Amino acid sequence: MPSSPYLPAIACTGDRTRRRGAFCLCLALVATPVAVLLFLNLKPLWLHVEPLEGSAFFLVATLFGLTLALAPVVAVFSWLLALWFGVESVYSPRQRTTPLVDRIIVGAGIVAWFLPALGFLASAVHALFSGRVHFVQPARDYLRAVDPIAYWQGVGFLFITAGVFAWLAWRYWQGKLRRRPETV
């Protein structure tokens, strides 16, 4: 990656990674509202495209569709990369320390990494208390009273999936939480 005009050529890897994270955060802060506004105003925007004919319609409709497809993807990946680069910058050598920002980044990273496990765990606990396992795709509901084998298989699946996600998150954070952030 070419060196930034704002960073010297001898900048530490943590400084460069923090710069990438800040860029991705700025991109996410721009792409997220664009994606939300596009989908909230879908019908009024399409009303401007619909009366066009021929190649103008084809071109504008294609660009409109590409924008609708890419804006949420760019927003999600920008948020994920901002968090990834931010966490990596905390544990890479840097010129100066920023303890408060580092704690915020690490806290957000821990929450983001463990959130899928917590979601599946919450679904499993809810299934235990309600007596019903609900899967969205394909749409299935398994009731403890009607189909106990499928119900318990669904609950087991939710607990196993929560465990897998928790283990993966723990493996990522295990080496990081035991060491202190590096400075030069």
Side-chain angles (χ1 to χ4, degrees), residues 142-176:
Y142 300 112
L143 303 174
R144 183 174 38 211
V146 176
D147 193 1
I149 293 174
Y151 167 78
W152 287 110
Q153 285 176 345
V155 170
F157 169 78
L158 292 172
F159 275 118
I160 289 170
T161 307
V164 167
F165 278 120
W167 181 78
L168 289 171
W170 173 246
R171 289 297 296 161
Y172 176 77
W173 284 99
Q174 185 178 9
K176 292 187 180 322

Side-chain angles (χ1 to χ4, degrees), residues 44-179:
L45 290 173
W46 182 252
L47 290 176
H48 292 293
V49 177
E50 196 174 24
L52 299 175
E53 294 180 4
S55 61
F57 173 79
F58 176 74
L59 181 65
V60 173
T62 302
L63 291 175
F64 186 61
L66 282 173
T67 307
L68 285 174
L70 289 178
V73 173
V74 169
V76 167
F77 277 113
S78 296
W79 283 111
L80 292 174
L81 285 175
L83 191 58
W84 177 270
F85 285 135
V87 169
E88 291 300 316
S89 74
V90 170
Y91 296 103
S92 298
R94 289 177 288 142
Q95 289 291 88
R96 63 186 179 100
T97 60
T98 54
L100 179 64
V101 174
D102 291 350
R103 285 189 182 114
I104 291 170
I105 290 171
V106 169
I110 288 173
V111 168
W113 260 262
F114 281 97
L115 204 57
L118 291 174
F120 277 102
L121 184 63
S123 294
V125 170
H126 180 266
L128 287 175
F129 285 115
S130 68
R132 182 185 128 218
V133 177
H134 174 71
F135 291 104
V136 177
Q137 193 66 7
R140 298 275 191 265
D141 283 318
Y142 300 112
L143 303 174
R144 183 174 38 211
V146 176
D147 193 1
I149 293 174
Y151 167 78
W152 287 110
Q153 285 176 345
V155 170
F157 169 78
L158 292 172
F159 275 118
I160 289 170
T161 307
V164 167
F165 278 120
W167 181 78
L168 289 171
W170 173 246
R171 289 297 296 161
Y172 176 77
W173 284 99
Q174 185 178 9
K176 292 187 180 322
L177 292 178
R178 293 185 181 168
R179 63 181 178 171

